[in-house]
């Protein structure tokens, strides 16, 4: 496959697949390919809301892209049972609700090889936060919800609070005012959805209410808080 061609379908027990020059294989179910070569081509794991597993015997090539999805409860996965080589991109589109607890979702596992996988765009965005693809050891890559950031600023543990108590970040250095008084600048943000019909309020990037009267508003606050 090459020159922006597209193949849509399920491939199972296929011995060889080569995807080059912006061509793309669109999966419609779990797949199994003995030898997969990506040279500027891509593999798309279905559409948003569909989660598939791709098992590959050997992965080779350079500049391939894996188009994946997650709702932070499920995620598409790639498993290479043999050797994986080359530098490849991973694009993960997120939907659903922001995770409420720190976790690591396994995305890629390779049995052997020196392949590298990098997030296309650098981060996975959902709501006010962004998340990283973290390599653990030599063979595994996880979507790490503990490494989330907001607007480019690292979320700071217990001080990661929003206007509604769910989203936000504290950033900046401490300022010592003397006599044991220390303050720190902060920035907090929340994206709030409010329904005028059922009078519900929701925080984050996903709108859970099916009513037609939902409006959205981005809320920000900056200031200084005392630490002592």
């Amino acid at each position: 496959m090459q020159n922006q061609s597209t193949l849509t379908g399920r491939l199972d027990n296929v011995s060889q697949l080569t995807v080059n020059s912006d061509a793309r294989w669109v999966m419609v179910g779990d797949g199994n390919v003995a030898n997969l070569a990506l040279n500027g081509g891509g593999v798309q794991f279905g559409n948003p809301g569909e989660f598939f597993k791709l098992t590959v015997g050997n992965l080779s090539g350079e500049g391939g892209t894996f188009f994946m999805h997650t709702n932070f409860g499920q995620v598409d996965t790639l498993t290479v049972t043999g050797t994986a080589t080359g530098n490849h991109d991973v694009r993960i589109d997120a939907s659903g609700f922001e995770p409420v607890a720190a976790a690591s979702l396994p995305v890629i596992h390779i049995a052997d090889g020196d392949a590298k996988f990098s997030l296309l765009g650098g981060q996975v965005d959902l709501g006010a936060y962004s998340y990283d693809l973290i390599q653990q050891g030599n063979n595994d890559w996880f979507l790490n919800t503990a490494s989330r950031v907001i607007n480019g600023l690292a979320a700071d543990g217990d001080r990661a609070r929003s206007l509604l108590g769910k989203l936000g970040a504290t950033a900046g250095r401490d300022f010592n005012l003397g006599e044991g008084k220390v303050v720190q600048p902060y920035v907090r943000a929340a994206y709030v959805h409010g329904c005028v019909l059922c009078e519900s309020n929701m925080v984050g990037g996903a709108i859970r209410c099916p009513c037609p009267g939902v409006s959205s508003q981005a809320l920000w606050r900056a200031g200084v808080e005392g630490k002592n």
Side-chain angles (χ1 to χ4, degrees), residues 3-145:
N3 297 331
Q4 300 180 338
S5 61
T6 301
L7 169 65
T8 301
R10 182 172 182 175
L11 301 182
D12 194 19
N13 295 323
V14 172
S15 61
Q16 176 72 45
L17 177 65
T18 300
V19 187
N20 297 333
S21 57
D22 294 323
R24 185 179 298 192
W25 168 34
V26 181
M27 299 171 60
V28 297
D30 294 344
N32 193 314
V33 178
N35 296 282
L36 175 63
L38 299 179
N39 292 286
V43 176
Q44 177 179 326
F45 288 66
N47 296 308
E50 300 175 331
F51 303 101
F52 300 137
K53 300 177 181 179
L54 174 59
T55 303
V56 175
N58 297 293
L59 173 66
S60 62
E62 191 72 25
T65 303
F66 294 93
F67 299 89
M68 297 175 158
H69 310 92
T70 184
N71 61 8
F72 287 98
Q74 302 179 81
V75 65
D76 295 315
T77 59
L78 167 66
T79 300
V80 181
T81 59
T83 301
T85 59
N87 296 290
H88 304 285
D89 292 324
V90 180
R91 177 175 176 178
I92 303 179
D93 291 327
S95 61
F97 309 120
E98 292 166 342
V100 297
S104 292
L105 301 177
V107 179
I108 299 170
H109 171 78
I110 65 174
D112 194 16
D114 57 1
K116 301 297 182 184
F117 299 91
S118 302
L119 270 181
L120 194 63
Q123 295 171 328
V124 178
D125 296 324
L126 179 61
Y129 285 117
S130 298
Y131 304 84
D132 291 328
L133 184 69
I134 304 296
Q135 182 176 0
Q136 297 185 4
N138 297 321
N139 306 94
D140 295 281
W141 285 259
F142 291 80
L143 186 58
N144 190 340
T145 65

